[in-house]
Amino acid sequence: MLAISMAMSAPLVAIFLGQLFRQEFAWPNYDSASKLLFAIPIGLVIIQNRINAVKLLEYAIPTTVLVTALSGLVKLNLVWGAPRITTYFVDPLSFGSICLTLALFCLVSIDLDKSDSLWARLYKLSGFVIGLYMSFISGSRTGWMAIPIVLWLWMRFKKNIPHWIILTVVTFFCVAVYFLMPLVKMRIDTGMTELLNYQWDSINRNSSVELRISFARIGWFLFCQNPLAGWGDNGFSSLLNAPELRQFATAEAGEFVLKSGFHSEIVTNMVRSGIWGLLSSIAIFVVPLTFFIKGLRSQSLIVRNYALVAVSYFICVIVSSMSTEVFNLKFTASFHAMMMISLAGTLIVLMSSEQSPKSV
């Protein structure tokens, strides 16, 4: 818990150190990072009272998915165009990645402690199917690469299915989704075309994938210019016209990162807070994931099942962080902080004693 608490405090410390080196202090910059810090006492309560928070989540999350689907039917957000479906209060990137994360959580949480009834299994399975469908119709590719990884882990660690069967099933599933859902096929085809068309030594178009590659290159250039202090949220505006950037990025790409960020958790943090932001991003991903993976090697089947849920969730977060910010938006930071501390706290309780924790 100490290691996880330090990792969850790291973004806050990174922002402070960056501001200290720049001698430029602003309280609003601590807003999102503070959500991670405020979750730590909740983890301590979970451990102290031996609460199985995941037992609540495994039924609350399918309900959340179903309610979200119903709310989407009542009031859709089509600001990003008809194919990009989301709810009225969130962008399709965050909507798609969170729906995907919740969907895979529903799947992996089936029969965690070997006591689910048939109705409970069907309920969670419906959460998986609906959540996955909402992620697909959002048109957001953010997090989609986590699907085959989590399916592989679920069948290998939960079902103990041979590798060759897993490979066949996962391949068939991905191919079926690709050909049966035109929007998914279109988004994947477009992404691959944009990736293959990217030019490393000339100006690129302002397409989704090409922009993200250019964002990463812009971020690395800015990081190298001020690695100890970083640039804050927009202190780098005067560098966006540098000839090094004009070799591959358009002026619109520079304006986008200035107003909307770099669409990458690690790149955003290392530009904002320099080396401290980079280290904090590594800590917040590596420390909890290492602990969760440790649980997969437990002698207890129950511990392994809960650890699998935690690992699967965190894989979704890491994959999503490559194409959007996951801890830099207030509402996503709050969501992921609560999920992370609930998973970690429950797993600590399970691993610390053979006695089953009491349910919420």
Side-chain angles (χ1 to χ4, degrees):
M1 186 61 196
L2 176 61
I4 291 174
S5 298
M6 293 174 65
M8 295 181 72
S9 305
L12 209 65
V13 175
I15 293 172
F16 171 74
L17 290 174
Q19 291 184 349
L20 183 65
F21 275 89
R22 294 194 307 273
Q23 286 296 295
E24 174 189 287
F25 297 95
W27 285 110
N29 292 342
Y30 295 92
D31 197 354
S32 295
S34 66
K35 304 299 187 293
L36 296 167
L37 185 68
F38 294 155
I40 295 174
I42 298 173
L44 297 175
V45 170
I46 290 173
I47 295 171
Q48 181 69 28
N49 294 278
R50 302 187 57 75
I51 298 173
N52 189 338
V54 177
K55 196 66 179 176
L56 173 63
L57 289 173
E58 65 175 311
Y59 293 102
I61 286 180
T63 303
T64 301
V65 171
L66 295 174
V67 171
T68 302
L70 291 175
S71 67
L73 293 175
V74 173
K75 188 173 183 180
L76 288 176
N77 183 347
L78 303 178
V79 173
W80 283 269
R84 308 296 301 276
I85 293 177
T86 178
T87 51
Y88 75 95
F89 57 87
V90 63
D91 65 276
L93 292 180
S94 298
F95 177 80
S97 67
I98 291 178
C99 284
L100 177 65
T101 301
L102 297 184
L104 293 173
F105 184 100
C106 291
L107 177 67
V108 181
S109 68
I110 293 175
D111 211 18
L112 269 183
D113 52 9
K114 300 298 179 181
S115 62
D116 280 359
S117 65
L118 176 61
W119 289 110
R121 297 182 186 189
L122 291 175
Y123 188 58
K124 294 178 182 179
L125 189 61
S126 67
F128 165 68
V129 173
I130 295 173
L132 205 62
Y133 178 74
M134 288 194 296
S135 176
F136 289 151
I137 64 174
S138 73
S140 171
R141 293 166 296 207
T142 301
W144 284 1
M145 284 299 298
I147 297 174
I149 301 173
V150 172
L151 289 179
W152 180 285
L153 290 171
W154 177 63
M155 288 187 283
R156 187 72 189 103
F157 286 93
K158 191 78 174 285
K159 305 298 182 182
N160 199 27
I161 299 175
H163 289 292
W164 70 271
I165 297 180
I166 297 176
L167 180 61
T168 302
V169 172
V170 171
T171 302
F172 177 80
F173 177 84
C174 293
V175 171
V177 170
Y178 175 79
F179 284 106
L180 293 177
M181 297 199 67
L183 178 58
V184 173
K185 185 178 186 301
M186 182 269 290
R187 294 291 289 166
I188 293 177
D189 290 347
T190 302
M192 289 301 301
T193 300
E194 293 170 357
L195 178 63
L196 295 175
N197 288 338
Y198 189 81
Q199 303 296 318
W200 292 94
D201 53 1
S202 60
I203 294 291
N204 290 277
R205 300 176 303 163
N206 291 327
S207 64
S208 178
V209 174
E210 290 172 279
L211 275 175
R212 280 173 169 77
I213 298 175
S214 294
F215 291 167
R217 296 178 68 184
I218 293 172
W220 178 251
F221 170 79
L222 296 173
F223 170 76
C224 292
Q225 305 309 304
N226 200 8
L228 279 179
W231 297 98
D233 286 329
N234 52 19
F236 52 84
S237 58
S238 61
L239 293 176
L240 292 177
N241 291 319
E244 293 89 341
L245 302 183
R246 283 290 169 262
Q247 293 178 3
F248 62 88
T250 62
E252 290 78 8
E255 292 176 4
F256 189 98
V257 298
L258 188 61
K259 296 178 180 178
S260 304
F262 293 84
H263 274 23
S264 167
E265 182 73 21
I266 293 179
V267 175
T268 295
N269 288 333
M270 74 182 194
V271 171
R272 174 190 294 154
S273 303
I275 188 66
W276 319 113
L278 177 60
L279 292 176
S280 73
S281 295
I282 294 173
I284 198 66
F285 289 133
V286 172
V287 174
L289 183 61
T290 301
F291 170 64
F292 296 152
I293 291 175
K294 179 182 178 182
L296 290 177
R297 299 195 294 267
S298 171
Q299 296 299 315
S300 169
L301 176 62
I302 301 300
V303 171
R304 292 201 302 271
N305 286 345
Y306 277 78
L308 180 60
V309 172
V311 170
S312 300
Y313 157 76
F314 226 66
I315 285 174
C316 291
V317 175
I318 292 173
V319 173
S320 297
S321 74
M322 297 177 183
S323 55
T324 191
E325 289 82 5
V326 293
F327 295 121
N328 278 294
L329 301 176
K330 287 184 286 186
F331 77 98
T332 56
S334 301
F335 167 73
H336 290 305
M338 286 298 298
M339 288 292 294
M340 189 190 314
I341 208 64
S342 298
L343 292 166
T346 301
L347 199 55
I348 287 172
V349 171
L350 287 169
M351 294 175 68
S352 64
S353 172
E354 293 182 358
Q355 181 183 356
S356 298
K358 62 184 180 182
S359 298
V360 175

PDB file of all heavy atoms in Angstrom, residues 242-254:
ATOM      1  N   ALA A 242       9.244  26.483 -34.366  1.00  0.00           N
ATOM      2  CA  ALA A 242      10.645  26.100 -34.564  1.00  0.00           C
ATOM      3  C   ALA A 242      10.799  25.342 -35.879  1.00  0.00           C
ATOM      4  O   ALA A 242       9.935  24.530 -36.243  1.00  0.00           O
ATOM      5  CB  ALA A 242      11.131  25.238 -33.403  1.00  0.00           C
ATOM      6  N   PRO A 243      11.883  25.590 -36.615  1.00  0.00           N
ATOM      7  CA  PRO A 243      12.077  24.907 -37.904  1.00  0.00           C
ATOM      8  C   PRO A 243      12.127  23.389 -37.772  1.00  0.00           C
ATOM      9  O   PRO A 243      11.750  22.675 -38.698  1.00  0.00           O
ATOM     10  CB  PRO A 243      13.409  25.470 -38.408  1.00  0.00           C
ATOM     11  CG  PRO A 243      14.067  26.081 -37.211  1.00  0.00           C
ATOM     12  CD  PRO A 243      12.975  26.535 -36.314  1.00  0.00           C
ATOM     13  N   GLU A 244      12.581  22.885 -36.608  1.00  0.00           N
ATOM     14  CA  GLU A 244      12.623  21.429 -36.406  1.00  0.00           C
ATOM     15  C   GLU A 244      11.227  20.812 -36.461  1.00  0.00           C
ATOM     16  O   GLU A 244      11.057  19.682 -36.939  1.00  0.00           O
ATOM     17  CB  GLU A 244      13.274  21.098 -35.055  1.00  0.00           C
ATOM     18  CG  GLU A 244      14.740  21.443 -34.952  1.00  0.00           C
ATOM     19  CD  GLU A 244      14.969  22.856 -34.464  1.00  0.00           C
ATOM     20  OE1 GLU A 244      14.034  23.689 -34.541  1.00  0.00           O
ATOM     21  OE2 GLU A 244      16.089  23.132 -34.006  1.00  0.00           O
ATOM     22  N   LEU A 245      10.230  21.573 -35.992  1.00  0.00           N
ATOM     23  CA  LEU A 245       8.857  21.078 -35.991  1.00  0.00           C
ATOM     24  C   LEU A 245       8.181  21.296 -37.339  1.00  0.00           C
ATOM     25  O   LEU A 245       7.343  20.493 -37.756  1.00  0.00           O
ATOM     26  CB  LEU A 245       8.042  21.761 -34.887  1.00  0.00           C
ATOM     27  CG  LEU A 245       8.569  21.603 -33.460  1.00  0.00           C
ATOM     28  CD1 LEU A 245       7.628  22.277 -32.463  1.00  0.00           C
ATOM     29  CD2 LEU A 245       8.754  20.129 -33.106  1.00  0.00           C
ATOM     30  N   ARG A 246       8.536  22.365 -37.999  1.00  0.00           N
ATOM     31  CA  ARG A 246       7.921  22.672 -39.287  1.00  0.00           C
ATOM     32  C   ARG A 246       8.335  21.687 -40.382  1.00  0.00           C
ATOM     33  O   ARG A 246       7.777  21.685 -41.472  1.00  0.00           O
ATOM     34  CB  ARG A 246       8.281  24.093 -39.713  1.00  0.00           C
ATOM     35  CG  ARG A 246       7.489  25.147 -38.975  1.00  0.00           C
ATOM     36  CD  ARG A 246       6.027  25.099 -39.433  1.00  0.00           C
ATOM     37  NE  ARG A 246       5.174  25.920 -38.567  1.00  0.00           N
ATOM     38  CZ  ARG A 246       4.456  25.445 -37.587  1.00  0.00           C
ATOM     39  NH1 ARG A 246       4.461  24.141 -37.340  1.00  0.00           N
ATOM     40  NH2 ARG A 246       3.706  26.225 -36.841  1.00  0.00           N
ATOM     41  N   GLN A 247       9.317  20.853 -40.107  1.00  0.00           N
ATOM     42  CA  GLN A 247       9.736  19.850 -41.087  1.00  0.00           C
ATOM     43  C   GLN A 247       8.710  18.731 -41.232  1.00  0.00           C
ATOM     44  O   GLN A 247       8.683  18.045 -42.250  1.00  0.00           O
ATOM     45  CB  GLN A 247      11.087  19.257 -40.680  1.00  0.00           C
ATOM     46  CG  GLN A 247      12.237  20.249 -40.763  1.00  0.00           C
ATOM     47  CD  GLN A 247      13.549  19.638 -40.314  1.00  0.00           C
ATOM     48  OE1 GLN A 247      13.607  18.445 -39.989  1.00  0.00           O
ATOM     49  NE2 GLN A 247      14.612  20.432 -40.286  1.00  0.00           N
ATOM     50  N   PHE A 248       7.881  18.520 -40.200  1.00  0.00           N
ATOM     51  CA  PHE A 248       6.935  17.401 -40.283  1.00  0.00           C
ATOM     52  C   PHE A 248       5.523  17.746 -39.812  1.00  0.00           C
ATOM     53  O   PHE A 248       4.588  17.013 -40.118  1.00  0.00           O
ATOM     54  CB  PHE A 248       7.453  16.206 -39.458  1.00  0.00           C
ATOM     55  CG  PHE A 248       7.606  16.491 -37.989  1.00  0.00           C
ATOM     56  CD1 PHE A 248       6.539  16.315 -37.118  1.00  0.00           C
ATOM     57  CD2 PHE A 248       8.822  16.921 -37.468  1.00  0.00           C
ATOM     58  CE1 PHE A 248       6.679  16.562 -35.765  1.00  0.00           C
ATOM     59  CE2 PHE A 248       8.975  17.175 -36.114  1.00  0.00           C
ATOM     60  CZ  PHE A 248       7.890  16.993 -35.259  1.00  0.00           C
ATOM     61  N   ALA A 249       5.344  18.840 -39.047  1.00  0.00           N
ATOM     62  CA  ALA A 249       4.029  19.149 -38.479  1.00  0.00           C
ATOM     63  C   ALA A 249       3.482  20.446 -39.042  1.00  0.00           C
ATOM     64  O   ALA A 249       4.217  21.419 -39.246  1.00  0.00           O
ATOM     65  CB  ALA A 249       4.131  19.244 -36.960  1.00  0.00           C
ATOM     66  N   THR A 250       2.181  20.485 -39.267  1.00  0.00           N
ATOM     67  CA  THR A 250       1.533  21.692 -39.758  1.00  0.00           C
ATOM     68  C   THR A 250       1.306  22.674 -38.599  1.00  0.00           C
ATOM     69  O   THR A 250       1.414  22.312 -37.426  1.00  0.00           O
ATOM     70  CB  THR A 250       0.166  21.352 -40.372  1.00  0.00           C
ATOM     71  OG1 THR A 250      -0.683  20.779 -39.364  1.00  0.00           O
ATOM     72  CG2 THR A 250       0.320  20.356 -41.518  1.00  0.00           C
ATOM     73  N   ALA A 251       0.969  23.896 -38.952  1.00  0.00           N
ATOM     74  CA  ALA A 251       0.658  24.893 -37.924  1.00  0.00           C
ATOM     75  C   ALA A 251      -0.569  24.479 -37.124  1.00  0.00           C
ATOM     76  O   ALA A 251      -0.659  24.738 -35.917  1.00  0.00           O
ATOM     77  CB  ALA A 251       0.421  26.254 -38.582  1.00  0.00           C
ATOM     78  N   GLU A 252      -1.516  23.812 -37.778  1.00  0.00           N
ATOM     79  CA  GLU A 252      -2.722  23.353 -37.089  1.00  0.00           C
ATOM     80  C   GLU A 252      -2.385  22.317 -36.014  1.00  0.00           C
ATOM     81  O   GLU A 252      -3.017  22.284 -34.949  1.00  0.00           O
ATOM     82  CB  GLU A 252      -3.718  22.753 -38.087  1.00  0.00           C
ATOM     83  CG  GLU A 252      -4.375  23.756 -39.015  1.00  0.00           C
ATOM     84  CD  GLU A 252      -3.461  24.184 -40.154  1.00  0.00           C
ATOM     85  OE1 GLU A 252      -2.360  23.585 -40.297  1.00  0.00           O
ATOM     86  OE2 GLU A 252      -3.839  25.116 -40.895  1.00  0.00           O
ATOM     87  N   ALA A 253      -1.388  21.474 -36.281  1.00  0.00           N
ATOM     88  CA  ALA A 253      -0.975  20.480 -35.283  1.00  0.00           C
ATOM     89  C   ALA A 253      -0.427  21.176 -34.041  1.00  0.00           C
ATOM     90  O   ALA A 253      -0.708  20.765 -32.905  1.00  0.00           O
ATOM     91  CB  ALA A 253       0.077  19.543 -35.878  1.00  0.00           C
ATOM     92  N   GLY A 254       0.355  22.235 -34.233  1.00  0.00           N
ATOM     93  CA  GLY A 254       0.877  22.989 -33.105  1.00  0.00           C
ATOM     94  C   GLY A 254      -0.227  23.665 -32.313  1.00  0.00           C
ATOM     95  O   GLY A 254      -0.205  23.682 -31.081  1.00  0.00           O
TER      96      GLY A 254
END
